[in-house]
Amino acid sequence: MKLSTKLLSATAIVGASAVSAAELEVTHWWTSGGEAAAVAEFASAFNATEHTWIDGAIAGSGGTARPIIISRILGGDPMHATQLNHGRQAEELVEAGLMLDLTDVAEAEGWADVVNPSRLLDACTLDGKVYCVPVNIHSPQWLWLSHDAFAKAGVDVPADWFEFVDAAPALRDAGLVPLAMGQQSWQTSLAFGALMVAVGGTDLYIDVLTNKNADAAASEDMTKVWEAYAAARLLSEGSNVNDWNQATNLVITGQAGGQIHGDWAQGEFQVAEQVAGTDYTCLPGLGVNEIIATGGDAFYFPKQDDPAIEAAQKELASLMISQEVQVAFNLKKGSLPIRGDIDLSAANDCMQKGLAILAAGNVLPDGVNSFSADTAGQIDDLTVEFWNDTSISVEDAQARYVDIIASAD
């Protein structure tokens, strides 16, 4: 990748102190086809400098990778850069002084002026200092639908979650799985949050996940969310795959009607050369409330006792948020760019939907940003247990949920 004069000028502040080429080990959990194509754009841009990207991909999901990443940092064997999500996942590492301060880069390049929404840069900031570079906006509230599957079932492609539920019997009769769902716990937790936006609505979402309002968690609207979640677990019976991209492949190949999943699923559709609007349909907010929560990925840079390495780390941070690299990366990833000042006219139909929602300001904070790791873990454990054990009633699950929200930190 040829870097522009403008980009090279912008990164001069971080490259000036580099006295030699550096090799940086970069850990991440992007290993599916679409993810690998996207992260290759970061590696290519970095390798176009005098430095070298050493790929440290960790197979599995973030739930698998994060403990490994954190253990290495705490154990004195840090990588040079690592993916984590926006939110409070790295808060204790920052407070312990283990992460590189990127404030000088952020201020020199005006990150505060271009990151949209601004809360994602805020999530990288502690005590006025910036410790990570946000690289994308991911929204988990999408319903992905296979045109082939609904043609086999002899019914129209649904326009929203409720029509999808109504079409499920026809899919079963055609020998298809209505709802593809991988067995990893975070996937079922993601579905719960998506249904909360679609069925419960934005006021409920904010009241529970931002305001930590236990009364809202006990409301009739929240009961409807749990009922929808109970229906979804029945629709997924027969979806015997583990990884999220395997579930996406069931939709791509017409073996399943749909999947509740994040916008990164479209990277898999692109690798399969499927066309949005022709081969598949994507419904933000499950087609009910076209509002998306804005979370995503960020890169942190564990401190190193080496000025040359530190200079290379800052150069990588600068590249990741640069205009050229943001376009290349996000077009492959299926995520929205973190910058509000770039042209994505080449984006497909699904990404254009997300961009329109973002431009209209119809966004919500990601639920994980408000909770400690302990509280988030309790919620995940409950939603996963409920999904896997049909003997747990909606009433019992909601009562336990209320207790968690009441004591949330």
Side-chain angles (χ1 to χ4, degrees):
M1 178 179 182
K2 186 176 180 179
L3 301 180
S4 70
T5 302
K6 180 179 179 181
L7 175 58
L8 292 173
S9 175
T11 59
I13 186 173
V14 298
S17 62
V19 295
S20 61
E23 294 184 348
L24 297 190
E25 180 195 4
V26 185
T27 53
H28 59 88
W29 54 84
W30 288 329
T31 56
S32 76
E35 291 174 326
V39 76
E41 295 293 341
F42 281 153
S44 177
F46 191 61
N47 288 336
T49 70
E50 72 273 30
H51 307 302
T52 303
W53 173 291
I54 305 299
D55 200 72
I58 301 173
S61 66
T64 300
R66 277 189 295 271
I68 296 172
I69 291 167
I70 293 171
S71 177
R72 281 191 55 184
I73 296 171
L74 292 175
D77 180 31
M79 61 297 296
H80 301 106
T82 186
Q83 173 195 7
L84 288 170
N85 296 120
H86 300 306
R88 299 172 61 183
Q89 293 175 358
E91 187 174 77
E92 293 182 1
L93 296 175
V94 172
E95 290 175 339
L98 298 175
M99 292 300 187
L100 181 64
D101 181 358
L102 302 174
T103 307
D104 57 342
V105 186
E107 291 180 348
E109 298 182 0
W111 292 4
D113 298 323
V114 297
V115 172
N116 178 44
S118 59
R119 71 169 69 96
L120 296 182
L121 185 58
D122 293 341
C124 285
T125 306
L126 186 66
D127 296 331
K129 295 182 178 180
V130 177
Y131 290 95
C132 67
V133 54
V135 297
N136 61 12
I137 302 169
H138 268 318
S139 52
Q141 298 87 7
W142 293 73
L143 180 60
W144 303 88
L145 302 171
S146 166
H147 287 198
D148 184 45
F150 287 97
K152 291 176 183 176
V155 293
D156 292 337
V157 176
D160 60 36
W161 169 255
F162 301 111
E163 289 186 9
F164 176 77
V165 173
D166 290 342
L171 292 166
R172 286 286 188 202
D173 290 343
L176 306 175
V177 175
L179 184 66
M181 181 65 71
Q183 301 305 305
Q184 294 165 326
S185 60
W186 66 271
Q187 297 179 59
T188 49
S189 295
L190 179 152
F192 182 79
L195 287 165
M196 194 170 180
V197 170
V199 177
T202 57
D203 289 344
L204 178 69
Y205 182 97
I206 292 172
D207 222 9
V208 175
L209 299 184
T210 299
N211 301 334
K212 305 173 186 176
N213 186 335
D215 290 336
S219 68
E220 291 184 10
D221 286 340
M222 195 69 224
T223 301
K224 293 177 182 177
V225 174
W226 280 102
E227 290 172 345
Y229 193 53
R233 68 181 175 182
L234 296 178
L235 297 181
S236 73
E237 290 181 351
S239 178
N240 298 317
V241 295
N242 187 58
D243 295 335
W244 70 267
N245 51 304
Q246 293 174 319
T248 305
N249 188 62
L250 293 178
V251 180
I252 291 172
T253 56
Q255 299 177 69
Q259 179 188 21
I260 297 175
H261 208 67
D263 54 6
W264 54 92
Q266 67 182 298
E268 302 304 300
F269 286 95
Q270 289 174 187
V271 169
E273 298 184 346
Q274 292 212 334
V275 178
T278 299
D279 300 308
Y280 66 99
T281 287
C282 52
L283 299 175
L286 310 193
V288 183
N289 288 315
E290 290 200 349
I291 295 173
I292 57 177
T294 51
D297 301 293
F299 275 81
Y300 287 80
F301 300 82
K303 279 187 176 180
Q304 313 286 324
D305 188 21
D306 186 330
I309 291 292
E310 181 177 313
Q313 289 174 308
K314 291 184 176 182
E315 190 167 353
L316 177 56
S318 178
L319 279 169
M320 285 178 161
I321 201 172
S322 68
Q323 289 181 316
E324 294 93 330
V325 177
Q326 276 286 295
V327 171
F329 170 77
N330 284 294
L331 285 177
K332 296 284 181 65
K333 189 68 165 64
S335 49
L336 301 180
I338 203 69
R339 297 182 69 114
D341 62 347
I342 56 178
D343 178 19
L344 276 176
S345 56
N348 70 15
D349 179 64
C350 292
M351 187 179 288
Q352 293 292 354
K353 287 182 180 180
L355 289 169
I357 291 171
L358 184 62
N362 295 330
V363 296
L364 294 168
D366 195 304
V368 301
N369 288 350
S370 300
F371 294 124
S372 67
D374 178 62
T375 296
Q378 291 180 54
I379 294 172
D380 285 348
D381 289 346
L382 172 59
T383 56
V384 171
E385 182 183 356
F386 179 81
W387 185 273
N388 293 326
D389 186 353
T390 57
S391 70
I392 301 176
S393 68
V394 165
E395 181 181 20
D396 288 345
Q398 187 174 4
R400 290 168 60 184
Y401 186 69
V402 171
D403 288 341
I404 294 171
I405 298 301
S407 59
D409 59 0

